[in-house]
Amino acid sequence: MDNSSVARKAGNEGCACGTAAPPASPLLVVGVYSVSEKTVPIPEKLNEWAPRPPPEFVRDVMGSSAGAGSGEFHVYRHLRRREYQRQDFMDAMAEKQRLDEEFQKKLERNKMIAEEQTAKRRRKRQKLKEKKLQAKKNKLEQKKQEKEPDQSQERVSSEDDEEDSKEEEEKEDDAEEPSFVMGRG
């Protein structure tokens, strides 16, 4: 008999090597994964690939003389490929920069539009608030006038009496010294 058949007879089903499988309890599995003392490495953003800058001093200058060896073509091809790669990279970076600028302009434009709409809505809210406040004041004044119409009429009549007495006093003063004579012209 092999080990797997012995393990099956013993009631330990699981691995083929004959060891028993751990009980599949959900609490046990959650407990194992929740207590983790290991720090999880978070990968940092990789730097973008950039071609090597062109050399400042070229050591092996290829001449145009006949008699270039068979290996010179491969060196030329490699330099040409690297230069094309550098130019493509510069073009891609210029395009990316242009797109970034357009995006920033669009963000700024959207921000301005949002601010204008917010200001417009703020003015509208303020207008409604002032209107409600004015309506409330008017309503309170009307209630006061309806509640106390007699008192206000008495106040008005007493004020009229005071004005009449002042006018009579002035007329009496004018009667003593006439400033003009009627009928003469």
Side-chain angles (χ1 to χ4, degrees):
M1 266 203 248
D2 62 329
N3 288 339
S4 62
S5 62
V6 172
R8 282 191 198 113
K9 285 182 182 177
N12 296 334
E13 300 206 12
C15 296
C17 64
T19 59
S25 170
L27 294 175
L28 180 65
V29 173
V30 170
V32 169
Y33 287 108
S34 66
V35 182
S36 176
E37 296 178 6
K38 286 186 177 181
T39 58
V40 179
I42 299 173
E44 294 180 10
K45 184 179 177 184
L46 298 175
N47 294 335
E48 291 184 13
W49 176 85
R52 286 191 300 188
E56 292 182 20
F57 182 76
V58 180
R59 299 191 190 290
D60 51 343
V61 179
M62 289 187 286
S64 60
S65 63
S70 60
E72 296 296 321
F73 173 72
H74 301 292
V75 172
Y76 163 74
R77 188 178 62 181
H78 180 66
L79 291 175
R80 184 181 65 180
R81 182 184 58 80
R82 201 175 339 171
E83 179 62 20
Y84 286 159
Q85 206 173 28
R86 188 179 71 84
Q87 289 176 356
D88 290 341
F89 176 76
M90 289 184 348
D91 291 342
M93 290 304 291
E95 180 68 16
K96 183 179 177 184
Q97 194 173 29
R98 184 185 63 81
L99 291 174
D100 284 346
E101 287 174 4
E102 286 179 8
F103 179 71
Q104 291 299 326
K105 286 179 183 177
K106 187 176 180 181
L107 280 180
E108 190 67 29
R109 187 171 43 245
N110 288 346
K111 188 177 179 182
M112 292 294 292
I113 290 170
E115 286 177 1
E116 289 173 2
Q117 289 177 346
T118 304
K120 185 177 178 182
R121 290 178 183 147
R122 185 182 305 121
R123 284 192 302 269
K124 192 173 181 181
R125 283 193 307 269
Q126 284 296 109
K127 202 182 253 186
L128 287 173
K129 191 174 180 181
E130 289 174 4
K131 216 176 203 181
K132 286 182 182 179
L133 188 64
Q134 187 64 31
K136 192 174 181 180
K137 285 181 180 179
N138 290 341
K139 192 173 183 179
L140 288 173
E141 288 177 7
Q142 287 177 355
K143 284 185 179 181
K144 281 184 179 180
Q145 288 177 357
E146 290 174 1
K147 194 174 185 181
E148 303 171 0
D150 297 333
Q151 293 177 358
S152 62
Q153 287 178 356
E154 290 177 5
R155 289 179 190 163
V156 171
S157 63
S158 64
E159 289 175 3
D160 289 341
D161 291 340
E162 290 175 10
E163 289 177 6
D164 290 339
S165 64
K166 286 181 183 178
E167 288 177 5
E168 288 176 5
E169 290 175 8
E170 288 177 7
K171 285 182 183 176
E172 290 176 5
D173 290 339
D174 290 339
E176 295 175 4
E177 297 176 13
S179 60
F180 62 95
V181 179
M182 292 183 68
R184 293 187 179 177

